Amino acid sequence: MPRCRVNFVELQKPLLVKVLKWGGVEPKLVEIEEGTTMNCWVPTKRSTKPPLVLVHGFAAEGAVTWQFQVGKLSKEYSVYVPDMLFFGRSTTVSQQRSETFQAECLRKLLNKLGVERCAMVGFSYGGMVTFKMAELYPELVTCLVISGSVIAMTDSIGQTSLNRLGFSSSAELLLPSTVKGLKALLSVACYKKIWFPNFLFQDFLEVMFNNREERGELLVALVESNKEAQVPSLSQKILLLWGNNDEVFNLEVAKNMR
């Protein structure tokens, strides 16, 4: 009989669920409209604390991205951690792929969850969706924290970053298909270099980079939908939280955006 290989990243998911429940949130699958279902980590108990929505980036779903922040933030906020479409268990039959569509679906999700006003934190791709939320729904979004992101991924910003990092396309950087590609992504994304045995990188690839075709379409739409992007007039307070050594969107990008 062939030996079954254990995926250690998949194996730790039940532990991650327990850790997040200890931190005050639990997963909830919500059908926001026919054909579109979104997963969101929601408070385990009803609370009068102000709602805070944490929006993940492109490399991992919400729980993996924010696992180390949820417990601390839950002490002062009602924390919500959604999985955007084609991440985690969030899916849609729609052919729309723009960050505007992601924002619209996220708005419907929060409405289903009874969230009327909230602060939002957006990282990387999630920052672009968060900016779009603030633009489209000022009555919902009270303030923003943005890290490692831009208002809109224009051709010039995207290509400049890719050229500097030595990648030919966004998909080559953000959708690795090999252990070597994943290591290259993490070397760019992390200030402190991470060492794992190769089999753990392979396990991460198998679990976290599903829906590859749809995610590739998200990347294409991200640039195509912003060819004539304008800087919106946002009424909310915005905190830009940046790393001095950010290699994807360097500090100069943050200063220009401010």
Side-chain angles (χ1 to χ4, degrees), residues 1-257:
M1 291 181 62
R3 295 178 64 183
C4 293
R5 181 179 175 277
V6 175
N7 186 303
F8 285 91
V9 174
E10 188 70 43
L11 197 64
Q12 62 83 44
K13 278 193 171 182
L15 176 60
L16 179 60
V17 171
K18 287 186 178 180
V19 169
L20 289 172
K21 283 186 175 181
W22 288 335
V25 297
E26 60 186 0
K28 184 172 185 177
L29 204 57
V30 180
E31 184 178 37
I32 62 169
E33 60 188 27
E34 187 175 355
T36 301
T37 303
M38 296 187 73
N39 181 63
C40 186
W41 294 81
V42 303
T44 54
K45 299 177 182 178
R46 286 181 174 271
S47 171
T48 58
K49 299 173 186 176
L52 175 65
V53 181
L54 307 178
V55 191
H56 63 82
F58 210 86
E61 62 196 55
V64 174
T65 301
W66 301 106
Q67 58 184 301
F68 300 113
Q69 287 76 37
V70 166
K72 188 74 171 178
L73 291 171
S74 291
K75 294 178 181 179
E76 296 186 37
Y77 299 94
S78 294
V79 174
Y80 295 82
V81 185
D83 289 332
M84 287 188 287
L85 295 171
F86 305 117
F87 295 85
R89 294 192 294 161
S90 296
T91 61
T92 183
V93 297
S94 172
Q95 297 302 306
Q96 296 189 62
R97 299 291 185 263
S98 69
E99 74 270 31
T100 298
F101 180 63
Q102 291 274 22
E104 290 170 348
C105 289
L106 185 50
R107 175 67 182 96
K108 292 175 183 177
L109 171 67
L110 294 175
N111 185 57
K112 290 274 188 179
L113 295 173
V115 178
E116 298 179 351
R117 288 177 65 78
C118 63
M120 298 190 70
V121 180
F123 168 67
S124 186
Y125 176 62
M128 300 176 209
V129 175
T130 299
F131 270 129
K132 186 59 68 172
M133 288 279 292
E135 177 186 355
L136 296 176
Y137 310 111
E139 74 287 352
L140 168 69
V141 182
T142 59
C143 58
L144 316 177
V145 178
I146 302 293
S147 183
S149 187
V150 289
I151 295 175
M153 178 65 86
T154 62
D155 286 317
S156 59
I157 291 176
Q159 200 56 54
T160 299
S161 296
L162 290 170
N163 290 342
R164 186 178 65 255
L165 296 169
F167 292 89
S168 61
S169 67
S170 297
E172 183 187 0
L173 171 63
L174 296 171
L175 282 175
S177 58
T178 64
V179 168
K180 182 179 178 181
L182 178 56
K183 287 182 176 180
L185 169 59
L186 292 177
S187 71
V188 167
C190 302
Y191 174 64
K192 292 185 177 180
K193 306 310 176 188
I194 299 175
W195 183 89
F196 291 118
N198 282 348
F199 74 86
L200 283 182
F201 283 108
Q202 185 62 46
D203 289 353
F204 191 87
L205 275 174
E206 293 174 3
V207 173
M208 291 299 162
F209 289 91
N210 58 346
N211 298 321
R212 298 184 65 87
E213 181 179 348
E214 292 84 356
R215 290 196 199 182
E217 292 167 355
L218 291 177
L219 290 174
V220 171
L222 197 59
V223 174
E224 284 190 351
S225 62
N226 289 305
K227 286 183 176 178
E228 298 180 2
Q230 302 290 322
V231 177
S233 177
L234 301 177
S235 58
Q236 299 91 342
K237 288 186 176 180
I238 303 171
L239 172 65
L240 301 181
L241 183 63
W242 234 259
N244 286 329
N245 301 93
D246 192 319
E247 293 190 54
V248 180
F249 298 118
N250 60 31
L251 199 57
E252 195 61 32
V253 171
K255 290 178 179 177
N256 291 338
M257 183 164 58

